Amino acid sequence: SRSDGPRGPRRGLPVTLTSSPDAPTSADVLGTGVAFPVGVNARGQLAMVSGERAVTQAILTLLMTARGQRVMRPEYGCRIHELVFAPGDATTLGLASFYVDEALRTWEPRIDVDGVQAQLDPQDTARVVVDIRYRIKGQPEPRSLVFPFYRSL
């Protein structure tokens, strides 16, 4: 009779996956981090977020960080901030979409990006509205996030 080897079941044998009380939850897989903006909770401790909220806040933190802003990790961040003085034309909108997509695919491994589209806000042409469509890995539900970016006129 065949037995399990040191690396798990041998090929050809059925594998049964079961749930156990020690199985990781969504929050365990997606992580826990300090809430943004930084604050305290009702118990006077540093406020934390976990699960899907941690992913959303990580995305916002990434997009609000200009590349080169973090001393110990200068590549981290989003290049959209290079467009602060760019004109409100199709090239700028295309670059905004590209820069956001590039940052998310590089720095946020917990998501799959479905699409990024930037457009000028019709009521405030200094604002670029970036619509981000993504999925958290291992979850079928699509998600969206709108990130406002302000250009200087």
Side-chain angles (χ1 to χ4, degrees), residues 42-142:
R43 297 170 61 191
Q45 299 170 328
L46 193 60
M48 306 293 281
V49 294
S50 60
E52 296 169 12
R53 286 195 58 209
V55 173
T56 301
Q57 287 194 2
I59 290 171
L60 291 173
T61 300
L62 170 62
L63 299 180
M64 289 187 292
T65 304
R67 282 185 65 182
Q69 185 174 342
R70 291 200 176 174
V71 176
M72 299 303 287
R73 187 169 276 191
E75 303 86 21
Y76 179 84
C78 184
R79 294 178 58 197
I80 195 170
H81 301 279
E82 296 172 13
L83 304 175
V84 72
F85 296 111
D89 59 13
T91 301
T92 299
L93 296 176
L95 284 171
S97 297
F98 175 77
Y99 291 158
V100 169
D101 186 80
E102 173 186 53
L104 292 172
R105 291 178 192 276
T106 302
W107 295 104
E108 189 43 74
R110 297 172 290 183
I111 67 169
D112 289 318
V113 178
D114 293 332
V116 177
Q117 183 175 8
Q119 57 189 357
L120 289 177
D121 184 335
Q123 297 183 352
D124 182 1
T125 56
R127 183 168 60 187
V128 175
V129 178
V130 183
D131 182 31
I132 304 162
R133 307 243 178 233
Y134 67 98
R135 294 174 193 272
I136 294 175
K137 289 184 178 179
Q139 298 183 8
E141 304 89 26

